[in-house]
Structures are given as structure tokens and as C-alpha cells.
Amino acid sequence: MTVIARRLAGHLARGIVMVLVVATISFFIVRNIPGDPVAARYQKLLEQGMSPEAAERATAVMYGFLPKGTLWEQYADYMTGLFRFDLGVSVTHPGSPVTSVLGEAAKWTVLPVLAGTLLSFLVGVIMGVYAAIKRSGKLGDFLAISGSLLHGVPQYVLALLMGAIFTTLIPVLPQGGTADILFEPGFNAGYIGSLIEHATLPVVTYALASYGGWILAMKSSVVTVLGDDFILAAELRGMKRTIIFRYVARNAILPLFTILALSLGLLFGGAIFIEKIFNYPGLGFLLIDSVVNRDYALMGGAFLLITAAIIVANILADLFYTVIDPRVRSGEEASA
Amino acid sequence: MSSAILETTSTAATMRRNFWRGVWRVMKRKPSRLVGAVIVLGFAFMGVFGPMFYPDVLPRDTSRLYAPMSAEHWFGTDGQGRDVLAQVITGSRYVLLSALVTAVITVVLGTAIGLFSGFKRGRWDTVLMRLTDMKLTIPGLPLLLVLSTVWSFGSAIEMGLLLGLLGWGGVARAVRSQTLSLRERGFIEAARGLGLSTTHIVGKELLPSMAPYIAMNMLIAVTGAVYAQVGLFFLGVLPYEADNWGVMLNLSVFGGGALTTTAALPYMLAPLLAILLLTLGIVLVVDAMDEIFNPRLREE
Amino acid sequence: MPGQAPGVRIDGLTVVYKTPAGELPAVRDVSLRLEPGTITGIVGESGSGKSTLALSLLNAVQPPGRIAAGSVDIDGLGDVVGLRGEELRKARGRHVGYVFQAAQNSLNPLKTVGKQVLDLGRSHGVEDLRGLVRDAKELLGRMGLDGARVLDSHQHELSGGMRQRVGIMLALVLNAHLVVLDEPTTALDMITQANILKIVREVHAERGLTTLVITHDIGVVAEVADRLAVMYGGRLVEQGPTRQVLGDPRHPYTKGLIRAIPRLTGDISEARALPGRPPTLATVPERGCVFRDRCELRMDVCETDDPAATAHGDRIVACHAVKVREHA
Amino acid sequence: MITGEGIVKTFKQRGNVLGAREVRALRGVDFAIPKGGAASFIGESGCGKTTLGRIIAGLETYDAGELTVDGLAMSALKPKQRQPHFRKIQLIHQDPYSALNPTRTIHQTLNAPLTLRAKQTGRSKAWIEERAAEVLSLVGLDPGSVLARYPHQLSGGMRQRVVIARALTVDPEMLVADEAVSMIDVSLRLGILALLKDLRERLGVAVLFITHDVATSRYIGDDGELYVIYRGQVVERGPVDTVIADPVHPYTQSLLSAIPVLHGLERPGEQPVAPVESMEDGQDESGCLFAPRCPFRGERCGERPLLQVTEGIAQEHACFYPERRSVVARPMSEV
Amino acid sequence: GGGTTNQSSSGGGGGGGGLFTTIDVNRPGIDASAPANPYNPKGNSFLGYNAMKLAWVKNHLTDPNQFYPGIAESWELAPDNSAITIKLQPNNKWSDGKPVTAEDVKLSIGIAYTQGSTAFALTPGAAGAAAEVEVVDDKTVKVTQDMTNPSSKFARGVLDTFVAPAHIWGSVLPTDFWDKLKASRGEGADAEKAREEITALGEKIITFAPEKDVSAGPFILERANPGEALLVKNKNFYNAASVAPDQVKFLNYTGNEQIWNYLISGKLDHAGFTAAPADVMNRIKQAPGTNIIKGYSPVAVGMAFNQTKKPYDNVHVRRGLAYLIDRAEVTKVASPEGGTPAVTTSGIHQKAAQEWLGAELNNLEPYNADPAKAEEEFKAAGLQKKDGKWALADGSPWKVTMTAPSGFSDWISAQENIKGQLVEAGVDAEVVTVADYPLYLEEIAAGKYDVGFWLIALGPAPYDIYQRLYGASNGWTNVAGKIKHAAPGKSGNWMGGAEKVEVDGTEINPGELTGKLNSVSAEEAKPIMLQLAKAANQDLPVIQLWDYVNTQFTNTSRFTGFPEQDSDLLRLPAGVWIQLGMVKKSS
Ligand SMILES: Nc1ncnc2c1ncn2[C@@H]1O[C@H](COP(=O)(O)OP(=O)(O)OP(=O)(O)O)[C@@H](O)[C@H]1O
Ligand SMILES: Nc1ncnc2c1ncn2[C@@H]1O[C@H](COP(=O)(O)OP(=O)(O)OP(=O)(O)O)[C@@H](O)[C@H]1O
Ligand SMILES: [Mg+2]
Ligand SMILES: [Mg+2]
């Protein structure tokens, strides 16, 4: 297990450096954004019919939520805050620390994306095996091309098509929101049913969008393994089909687990288009919203969280690999 | 000795002819690949010549806003009463041009960095690869969203430039590993042993071996770039651009209610179909290239 | 239950591969007899069809190849070419043990050797799995390995020679009495090779096996085989008792091959390479003798007629020139 | 004249923060190859033969010791200055297919170094073409039919000849042939070996032959020297035929004993030596490196023996208990 | 408080239900974790439902001082506008049972100071600021105006104030708050410091999170999630007997298309103003029970010129463009349901213009689309026409570059349409967008654009109407009742209009006239409004394109009694309609 410990130490060191770098980059990008959130709010109030003076004064309060001091002081504050998990105060959500706004939104991203990822992984892997076994037939061709197409098509195309079908043409699914408020939140059928109903479109779309990748990856992995000598050897030893299938499956799925772990890093930022199109109040949505509203702190925070998740997933993927693959576990470097 | 040269060139020509015959055979084996090639060529034609068929400002017919599909307007009209298909065609130039810029930058930068890193190895390699790792770790779309607020996208070229600057990581990584594995192949070592210049080694030995691979990456980068920019326009975080696919999507959904009623649906579907078709074309062509350039299959 | 040391009769075996240029034979009209209890060696250069022939013994030619004609009759099993499905699967491993060409990589990298032995047992309905593991351990011990340790190891923890021995163990542990070894020592170094060859010989004798060894290295055959068959371009050009063939080769190819072996002792000026180059699937002539392009005894008939394999006492040679000489 | 003194090479496998794995590939190797001479390095897989060859060809650096080319110590020179010297030493790769760029014709492959040379010596284009044809003829290929081809259109033997021809374009003083025939069909091997010998004789090129097949080492010339290497150390060194006929180091003896006997043509040696089987991991680093596998291990073997000359023995060896044993098979005809 | 919910009533089906479903169009994105705090922009405090003001401003065409009762039952304004006496609802209680008192109002006014309201402004000399707040008795409060810079909107400023329960919110203001306030009134460093301290309190107030929602409105917050918020009836509300719904469900929305979908599926009992394309509107109309109420919305949009840039400094160019643009077509394309084409470009919303200008309105040049006149004007401006294209006087090409913030789809559509119209008439044009609204505002104020869209005619107060044309953006600032003018390009003067304009032969200073509107009575304002309307219409600092129409959606399947067309309740939240007892369950 020392291998794991050693790897972990290295990864953690690198990960922390990476987070700091990203935090720095995002800090400076975000502080260079032209446009003034206060002015934006002022004009919004005007549109809502508030008199100009009232609007001006109402927005003046928001100055209190803008960071103060020189750029370098702000930077120092930001970085020290980071160590306390303090990302500052959001302008568009005054009174809520950025971390809690992010936390609320993260809840609504992680679960659907996790569900979507696992769903697509499951289906994609199974279909990938099919595509590999039937690779010289029509079915295999179809699976492979449809996989490439689904993999190639951007998320928003799928989301828009799904939206057009299920909210415009046959309006059966709700568009937006997380659950019907009339249901008492908790572990009751009504609430959970409502949660599922609201999450169906985002989850299914996300699953559809990532399904193509899985089927392709699994197909090529299975094809590789099928070409490996030990499979032919097992066959020549008269091993049962089921056992050989297990050999293929286990060896083929191994590299996919790493990709799976990596794709879990996208949990937080993986569904920006889908959340936007289905108005699902997750992190991606929050990020767009903060960009549009020039909410520095929130934007920086969301970006940092999304990146940090990926870094953590990278580390986990590597450790995971170390644990499940005996070759790596025993210290032999896997040839990259 | 001139006869030798003559013979060489003629044989080279035969080789080339054989190559094209091989291409044709691969294409013919699965007719879908021909379809793919036709689609890709069609898009290229559309991007280059499409806008020439229309006036700079498309004619509008305010009596027919969001008109349904008809023989006259294949994909109906938009909220200004302009023909949707015409917009897809005139809009293709921006999208494809900037995608091409992106692809070129991605591939050139990625290849250069990957080559340098893989070829020099040592300290430079470590530094560049750390950088690449970092780039690859930072999620692209969120970064673009944040960047869209500081960067003003004046033109297709500029758009392509930024996307290209953000996109080279994957290619660099891949080219590096290719370079590393090619380096292990004896012929690179032999060239060094013969005292051939680095320029020769990189330009004449390494690059040609990777050319198909790079070409495939380039095609894939084109699709990636199309998606990214159309997506950003769709989200509305980039400045409006008349006759742009992403803007069309944005206007159809958030202005025309394409996800609410059917009137603006053709308006939304047209650019979506264009993207789907382009993807399909490129997927099919890449599939064919995969086979054409696969060394195993190249040995006849 | 497998009988003791089965005999094998290969008759008119032709195996073709589907290529862009159509179906081409990798093994053509080969007839060969493996006498019970003997070690037969097949030598041939790369691409001459050795592995294809060996796989045919298990009816295991991989697509895009297929057995196009002929039969492989194994005592106690019948014609393997006709076997299908479960029958075929059960024959593999149980009746015929196969040691893979790339035995280096013939183990599942994710499972310990022991687990793979158990998988093998389950596949063949062995009830006494414990006994099977014991047998495996014994076999490994017999081959000079620490059985317990090896069974508990993953492939990557074993050296090349150890892996090869594990491969042999897996071929024998179910008590198969016909064993096919495809290039058992390629990629091993000299000392390990000598060791493996010794083991092959000993185990063959102890267990009463019929063994087929396939190799491109005449030395290996010379070391272990009782009988020797020479393959060229998918054809068996000569076969006979090893010593006889080595000492007195008849077929021009065999002669050339033996002359081309770099030798440790003796006059080096006698050694000479064969001119020309070995054929590949695509360049093997469709009609006539496959060796004629490199043959110094070429005659007109070689262009058109495939020489038939004819017996000359213990020897079988397929050459027009040899026939002519015999008759002369 | 190329000599090496105490060449040491240790590979540090890239580890992480907490330590790297070291592979001691060469542990102080001495050798000397005269102009136009021949030497063979033999030994088991992983003993460091390739590493040594690459160091000699200038493709790899060494950690200690000194490599001298024509009296010049290479470590004293800057990389740029070393290059022309190393260009005189050309490596012939084991795998002739990977040694040729599959995307370039033979013509292009030969032209590149020739153009460089023409530029340096101010020769014309015509010379390049002429010379290309000439080197191909030298290696026994017909320029007309080969020049325009791609490597995959040639057989293994032809490819290896092309590789040698390419090395000849720079007029090398030495060819380092690293297992140059092991991937070539048996029937063609001798052709390449004969070619190397022929080049020695005709062009005066020295040949360093690296192999694990002892027999092939005889074919580059009877004036050649044989170096037997074990785990990065030369354990025996002498004229090829002497070492083969009368090996004194138990490792050499094991190696020679392991060579299959062509029953029917040869009879086996009388005193074959089989090494004691030992696990490869946890190798002992102290004392004689072969001792753990040595059947004749004695008390002194706890020390590391140096290459030495002892009385009554023609070759140098690194063994405290050298003894001639007749291990190699003899032709039937000899007896 | 609040009872358990009736889970079977979900969805919104069935007649005469107790659940009222609505959407707060002013606030996209419900923040489930935000406090029930009316001062917090994301707070779960919904105006008219659980957030109460002293009174509710009527949507009157011209009079800013008309109200419906809220916390205040009645009020009395001194004839000279110098003071207002407010009487609170006698029986009103907070949802926790405590009575609503004058102290609550006083505290709320204190809070209003920290938040910068119109009447309770800290800036010395601000127009219409209160001088004194006096608790007359338990249910009466009197507020006097500082008469140094009086405003006609004083009453509005006072009554348009949130009221929060003092027993919950008392802690947010320090005990010496009122002394501090006094101190802040003067000049000098002490006063400045006091003002700063008070403003700093604003932040604390915005973030204040009461443990539970205590409301004097008809409803109390029950819970919220990111998609929806649920309110239940407040039994202590003074008019609880007339409040029809038991529960109110607020739906979140993040894009208009969501509102459209809800409306089409008949889910909403009410939704505020939402622009919708024609086809969507048709589908909404077809939904059973849909009822669309339209009314006055005191905003118009104008195409504004940066007169420091050539050739827009020339009034003839501006007029020529006005003659070229068919405003009806623009409106049809850009805002078919949410706007009516501007009849003139007087700077006043069409509906209010009739009131202010009467018959004079008909004398204003309507700038009907007329290419011939446009050509005349362009020629008068010295522009040249070459090959059917207009070029500048010096022959250099002319391109009308219109800028809009991206995401403002109606503005962009309008500009696209105008572009098309102009190009057809030989004027080259383009549409450029900037990433977003904040940037747009920053850049337009910096004078970076030639032409951009600008909201004008912010009624009903006359000063507010013209302040957008002749206010800070055009160089005039009103500090303590004194009007100052800054040169074009300075201090935010990006419009760069002339300081004096000739109207009917006399030169006027529109900025000063606008300033006057702040304090004069309605009658006195009329002639000034006419002068300014003429000035705006002739000088055309902006071309008024369309006047917004407030379109509200209701559904009568479950509830009836919604306001009529053009009702003065239209711009008030449905919560106010409910609390006034108008909304009834349908039978
Ligand atoms: N899957 C395949 N598809 C097409 N041709 C094949 C296939 N497998 C083998 N061949 C061809 O069949 C011929 C015989 O192959 P085989 O593997 O039996 O040769 P071999 O004698 O075992 O060679 P080696 O010494 O390299 O193992 C070769 O020419 C080879 O190219
Ligand atoms: N680049 C490298 N990095 C790390 N270790 C290396 C490297 N090159 C060689 N080695 C190690 O050095 C030792 C000697 O290798 P070398 O290739 O010289 O052996 P060899 O005698 O040529 O073996 P073979 O007969 O298999 O070709 C081996 O243990 C090998 O693993
Ligand atoms: Mg084989
Ligand atoms: Mg080597």
C-alpha cells in the first residue's frame, strides 16, 4: 500500500498547487471583467418602474457587497479566504455566502449528473460489448455509428431536441424546477416522485449525451482485449464462454473505470447546457447566471469548485486504478 | 542517373495512384463513408460560396413571421420574416471559418508543443506536460464562459483564435505520446545517428508519419470548435452576430418559443440539423480515414 | 476420459484466410501423422503456416480463417474438424493441451494463476477442485517452481520462463495426453530455453504424451523431437525421423535451411544463405511447387504441378526433383 | 580504434517524490575494437548489450568511465563536437522494419544523409544518385528495383540490407549491429552475416556484433574477439574460437551448454553446465554476480572478481575458479 | 405558523381550488436558502403576499400620488405637500399575533433610510426627502417634508415603504439610530460619517434573516425550494376574511419560455408582464380560462443618438432617420404583444401624452415613414447619395451602427428590422451587440456607441418622464434643486445634445425645465410638458420607437375577480388584488 500512499502524496501536492493556480487565474480573470453589477441592477430597477433616484439609492447598498481595497489586497483576502472555504459574498444573492449558494446548486447538479453518468455508463458498456462482438455486422456498425454520432453531437443539440419533443410536441414532462413545492420535502413517495419527474429530462439527456462515449470506449476496449492473446489462450484451454466473457469484461472495463472516475469530475460542471435548456437550478446554471449578472464572487467560486472537482476526480481515478489493477498496485508503473 | 530519378518519380506517382485507389476502395466498402465525404465537401462549399448567393442583408417579409415550412421557405422564416435556410447557409461561413481557424491553431500549437515536448524530453517535457495537464484539467466550457466576459469577440478569426488557444492540450498530449513512440522506432534514432538535422527529422520523418493522425485531429477539432462557439452564442454570452447558427438557436428558443410552440420549431431545427449533419459527415470521414491510414490495413 | 497417448492423423488439411485478394490458403493439402507417444516437431520460417496448422488440431483457426478441406482425426475424439460447440470446447484443454505461441501473455493479467486454474476446472466440470489445485502445484513443482507461490501470483509477477512453465502446466493439468506447443521458447533466453526444452522432454516421457512442437528454430526440434516435419509456404515439404532428416535432408529447401544455420563449431565457409525470400500468403504461387522460385533443382514441371508428398521409407518428401532422382 | 574503460550506466526509472528505482545496466565495462576489427558481445537478455552498443554509437550517455574514439576522449567534448566522431559509428538496429521510415521510399531514405554529405563536401546532385546506387550495390541489392519502393514492400533481409546501406552512406568506420539478424528469417540470416564480413574485408569497416546467439558471432571473422557479458559486467573475453572451444567462466559455459544440439549432425559436449535456477528478483549485489546461479561456487565468490588473465588460460575472465570444460557440441564429422 | 399542506391539491387541476399559482416575473430564480427578508433582492418575501408596504401605488397615467391601502388604512396630505399623516389599519396583526403599530412603521422608516428610498434619503438636499418622522399615536404616524427641495412625489416616497415587525427587526438598528440620523442631516465631516454609518447598516439589513417569516400580509412563507416557493394564508391579516386562496405557490422561472409553457398548460392563475411571440400568445389565448389584461406601462424605448458623433450631431440626419424607420413594423417584429408603436416621438408614453398634451399632441410631427422626406432631410444635412447609397458630406461611407446588449432579444430584433429597413433605403447599417447589459450601460455612458436603445418616458411623475432625455445622460444634473449642465462627453453626458433648443421660436433649456417638473403641481407641469414634448419631437435626441404595454395573464378557471383592462391595479402584484378582496374562488 505504500505505492498508494506515495502516489497520494504526490497527487495531493500537485492538486493543491493546481487549485491555487486556478484560483489565481480565475481571480484575475474575474476582476478584469468590464461592466458593473451595480449599474446593471440599477437599470433593472428602472425597467421595473422604480424612480431613478430610488433605484440609485437601492443599488448603492450593493456597493457594500463589492470587494474593497486594491487589487492585491483583494487577492490576498481571496486567497486567505480560500483556506477557510470562504469564497466571499455573492452580489446577486446578498446575505448568502458563496459557499452556501454553491452548495445548494451543487446538490441539484450532482445527483442528476451522477444518475445520468451511471445510467449511460451501464447502458453504454453493455451496448459497447455488443458493438464489439457484432463489429463486423450491421448491428455493430449501427451501434458504432450511432455511438460516434451521439458522442460527437454537442449536448445542447440533444437537449434542444429532447426539449422540443417532450415539452413542445408531446408535453409530458415538466420543464424546469426540482420538485413540486406542495410535497413536503423528505422521504415520501410524492416528493420523490416529483423529484424524479423534474429530473427526468436532464438526466435522460445527460445520459444520452454521454452514452456515445461509453459505447465507443467500451467497444474499442473490448476489441483490444478480444485481440489479446490470453483470451485466445483461454478459448484454447476450453474455458466456458461465461468465464471467457467475464475475462473480457473485467479486462475491458478496467480502463473505463478510470474514465468513469474522471468523468465524475465533470459532475459539477458537466451539464451547463442541459441545465440552461431545462432550467434546472444546478451549478452550471448558476455559473451562467453569475456570468450574466457579473457576480464576481459567485462566478469565481463556481469555476473554482468545478475545477477542484475535476482535480479531485483525477486523483481518485489514479488511486482507484492503483487499487484495482494488480500491475500498478505492485509498483510496476503502468506504461502510459 | 536521371533515369533513376525518372523511374523514381513515376513509381512515386503509381504509389500515389495506388493510395487513391485504396482510398476509393475503403470508401466504396461502406457507402456511408462516401455520404460522409459528400457532406463534408458540401459544408466546405457552403462556407466558401454559400453567402455569395444571398444579398448582404437578407430580404425580410414582415407579413410572414415564423412562417411554417413551405416550398418557398424550406425551414420557414424567422421572427424577422427572413428565410431560415438562407441564414443557415450565410451563417455557415462564420461558423466554419472560425472553426477552421480554431482547428488550425489547435493542431499547429498542439503539434508543435507535443513534438517539442516529446522530442526534447527532459526538463522541457516535464514543464510543458505539467502545463498541458493543467490546461486539460481546467474545464473548457466553464472557462470559456468566464472568459467570454473579458474577451470581446470581434470576428470569426478572433473567436477561432481564442478557442484554438484553449484547445491545444489534447492534441499536444496525443502528439507527444505519438512522438515518444515514434522516437523509439529505430528510424528516428538512425537519422540522429546519421547526423541529420532536427529540422529534417521533425519535418521529414516525424511529421509525415503523424500526418494522418494530425489530419484526423484537425477534423475532430473542427467539430469541437463548431460546437463550442455555437454553444456560446446559444447561451447568449457572446455578442450577437447576424445569421449565426448559435444566435439562431438562441433566438428561436428564447425569443421565438421553439420549446413552447411549433411556430419557431423549424427555425431551431435548421441549425440543429446543420450541426447534426456536419457531425455525421465528419464522423463518417474520420471512420474512413481511420481505415485508410491504419498501417495494418495499408499494407496490401 | 482421454485415453493414453492418442495418435493423430491429419489428412489433406487446407486452411484459408479471407483477405482483400480473396481466400488464400495458409496451409495447403497437408497430411501428417502423429504417432502415439512421440514428439513431433514442425519447423518452418515465419508465415509458413505452422501456427495455423497447430490451431487446426483444435479446430480453432481464428476468423477470417477457416478450415476449407481435410480432416484431423484424433484417437478418442474423432474428426475434430466436425466438432462444434460444447463438444469442441470440452475437447480443448481436456484432450488436447495447447501451449500458446505467446505464452508470455497467455494469462489473464487481473487474476492469479491459481484462480485461473480454478476457472479451468469449473469450465471442464472438475468436481475435485482442491485436487486440481494440488495437481497444478505438483506439476509446477515438477518443473522446478515454488507451486504455492506461483499459484498466488499474477502474470506480471512471473518471469518469461516461469510464465511459459505455467502455460505448460495449464495445458497438462486436466490430464490432456495430446499437447501442442507453439513456439514454446521464442523470446526466452538461451539458458531458460534449454531448461524449458528439458522440461518438455521429461514431462512428455513421464506422462506418456503425444506431443507436437512447433518452432522456427531447427535447434529446438533437434533437441526434443523424435520426428521432424518441415513446412514451407503452407506445405509440408519433408518429414521423417529427426536424425535422418537433419543428417540427410532430401528436399532442396530442407537442405538449404540446414546449410543456412549458423553453427557453433565446424567450418563456417560451408554455411550459405538461401537465395530469394520466403513467400507470404499473397506471394505463394497458386499452382506448382511453392519453393520453385528459390530452388536450384527447378524443373519445368515445378511451374505447373504441385509435387505430391511421397513416402521414401520413413521419410516423406514432396519434390519433383527428388522423385526423379529416386527413380533414376 | 574505439576503446571503452570502465563504462558505467545506471538507469533511474522515473519515480515520484519518495524515490526512484535504479537499474544498473553496465557496471564498468572495458573493451577495445581496433580499426577494421571485429568484436561480439554476447549475453542473456537484459545483460546490457544494447545499452553498451548505444553508448558506443553515441545514442546514449554514460555515467562513468571513458569512451575513446580514435584517441579522443568523448566526455571531454561538447555534444556538438562529439557528433562527427559518433557519425563514424553507425548502429544497425535489430528490427529492420522500424529502422526504416514506412512513409519514405528507399530513395528518400538514402538521399537524406547523402544530401547532407554532399553539402559538406561540395558534391553535386549526380553524386548523390550515384552514391545511393553504389551503397545499394555494396549490400547486394539491385538499385533499380529497390530505390522506388517503400519499406513494407521489401522482405526482412532486404530491409536489413537497406539499413546497412544507409549506414554506409556516411562512410562509417564501425558498424554496431545490435541483434542485426535475430528478426530475419533463418534462411536469410547467413546472407546478412556474410555481408557484414564482406564489408569488413572490402571497406575495412570495423564491426561490433551484439547477439545472444553465440554461433552467429563466428561469422563476422575469425580475428574477432568475443565479450561475454553478465548483468552489466564482462565475465570473459578472448578470440571467438578460443572462447567457444574452451570457455572458462561458468557463465560462458552455461550459455554454451544451453545451445541446442543438432542431433544427427552433432554430438553434445561432454561436460555441460546447467546453472542453478534462481529467482530473478532480489538479486544479490555483493560478491560475484553469477555466484548465486553458479554450480561451482566457492569460498572466494563473496568477493567481486575482476577481469583478469591467469596462467594457462588464453582468454581474460572474471572467475576465481576458472576451469576449461568441454561444453559445446561437436560436428559428427569431426570425430 | 402555517399548517400542513394539502398534498392532493398539487398540479392545479379542479375548479375553485384553494391554491393560487403565480410567478414573480421581477425576480427570476428562487433562492431556496435566502431569508424571508423584503430588503434582500433574492429574499423569499413576496410583495403583496408576505411583504407589505404602507400603501400600494396605483398605476395612474399622470398622478404619482394615488394609492390603495396597505398597512396604512388612510392618509392625509397637507395641501402644500409639506406633511403626510398616516393612519394604520386598526385591526391589523402580525402573523404571530402581535398588533401592527406606529412603532413598526417608524422602525421601517429607519430601515428605509439605510436602504436609500426616495423620501428617506440621506443625501442632503435630495428632492422630496422627509424632514421628520413623528409617532402621533399607536396607529398614527406623521412625516414632514424638507421643503428646501420639495418634490411632488413626496407622498409616494413615504407610502411606498415596506413595513417590517419591530419586535423581530428591532435589533437591526442601533439604539442611537435616530440621533445618528439627526447628525447626518448637516454638512461637514461628522454628518458625512453618520451618513456612512447609516449606509453601512444597509448591508446588515439585507443579510438579516428572521428565524421565521412574520408577516402582516395575507400570506406567510411556508417553504421554498430552488424551483418553487409555497405561502399559506395568514389568519391574522386584517382582511383575512376576503382572502380567497389558502395557499399560494410561486413558481420559479429562469427564462420567459418557461412562463409561456406554464401559461399554455393553464398552470398559472396569474403571471405578470411577459413578452411573448405571436404564436405563443395564440397558444396562450387558446388555453382554457386564459384572460389577458393589458394596461398602461410607463416605459417606452427610444433609439438614442450620440450627438457628439457625426453625422448624428445634425438634427436633419436624426429626422431623416425618423422618417425612414417604420415604427409599426419595428414594433410588430420586435414586441408585437408588449408594445404599441410610438405615435410621435415626444418622449412621453402615448397614453400619458394624451393626458399631458391634449389636442396639442396632434400637432406634433408624427414622422410617418416617408422616404421622400427622409431624402430631403438627408440632403439638408449635406449627405450625398452615391449609387443608391447614402454617404457622409465628405463622401466617406456612412454606416448606422446600432448597439444592443446581447440577451435583449426584442431590442436586437428591432435593430435587425431597422437595419433591414435602412439598408433598403440605401443607408448602410449594422447591429452590434455587447456581451451583456452592465457592459452596455458602461460603454454607452462612456460614449462608445453611435446609436443605442434607451429606456425613456418613465412615468407617471413628469420629472421622471423627461429626466431620461434631459437628465444626467444629456448633461443635466439636479443637486439640491439646482440644475447644472456638463459639456458633451463629460460627467456621463453621452447624448451630447445642445444645452438650449429652439421651440416655437423661443430658446429653451430643456434640462432646467425638466428640473422644474420635480416640484411643480400637475397643472403647472402641463405647459412645461408641452414645451419639452415639442423640443423632444423636433430635436430628436431619441427616436421613440414603441411604448410598452403591460400585459398580465390570469386564468379564470380557478379564481375570478381579476382587474379589468387598463385597471390602475395592473402593475401591482396579484397579492395586492387578493388582499384587497377582489379575487374570488370560481364556483
Ligand atoms: N488473421 C489472419 N488474416 C490473414 N492472414 C493471416 C491471418 N493469420 C495468419 N495469416 C497468414 O497466414 C500465414 C500463416 O500464418 P501462421 O501464423 O500460421 O504462420 P507461422 O508459421 O506460425 O508464422 P510465425 O513463425 O510468424 O508464427 C501467414 O502468411 C499469415 O500472414
Ligand atoms: N531507457 C531505459 N530505462 C530504464 N532501464 C533501461 C533502459 N534501457 C535499458 N534498461 C535496462 O537496462 C538493462 C540492460 O538493457 P539492455 O537493453 O542493454 O539489455 P540487452 O542485453 O540488450 O537485452 P536484450 O537481449 O533483451 O536485448 C535491462 O535491465 C533494461 O531493463
Ligand atoms: Mg506462429
Ligand atoms: Mg538488446
Side-chain angles (χ1 to χ4, degrees), chain D residues 11 13 23 25 43-52 60 94 178-179 212:
Chain D
F11 288 107
Q13 247 145 10
V23 179
E44 272 174 297
S45 178
C47 70
K49 305 183 298 285
T50 297
T51 307
L52 189 54
E60 188 88 72
Q94 168 175 20
D178 184 3
E179 314 244 2
H212 58 255

Side-chain angles (χ1 to χ4, degrees), chain A residues 34-35 40 43 46-47 51-52 57 61 64 92-95 104 108 175 179-182 184 279 285 294, chain E residues 10 31 40-42 116 153 203 206-207 223 225-226 228 249 254 258 261 436-439 441-442 455 467-468:
Chain A
Q43 291 288 333
L46 279 190
E47 270 171 73
S51 76
R57 295 196 186 104
V61 178
T92 43
H93 299 251
E104 176 67 29
W108 298 112
Q175 195 197 18
D180 194 316
I181 191 73
L182 292 179
E184 189 100 41
N279 296 296
F285 195 96
R294 293 293 183 261
Chain E
S10 77
D31 181 354
N40 186 313
K42 283 266 161 166
K153 290 193 302 177
E203 204 179 314
I206 284 188
T207 59
R223 61 171 168 265
N225 72 24
E228 297 172 359
K249 176 153 99 168
T254 39
Q258 263 173 300
N261 281 340
D436 54 40
Y437 201 31
L439 187 60
L441 293 170
E442 192 174 294
L455 291 173
Q467 179 268 350
R468 295 291 287 181

Side-chain angles (χ1 to χ4, degrees), chain E residues 110-129:
Chain E
I111 292 176
Y113 272 105
T114 71
Q115 300 292 307
S117 91
T118 335
F120 308 111
L122 289 169
T123 333

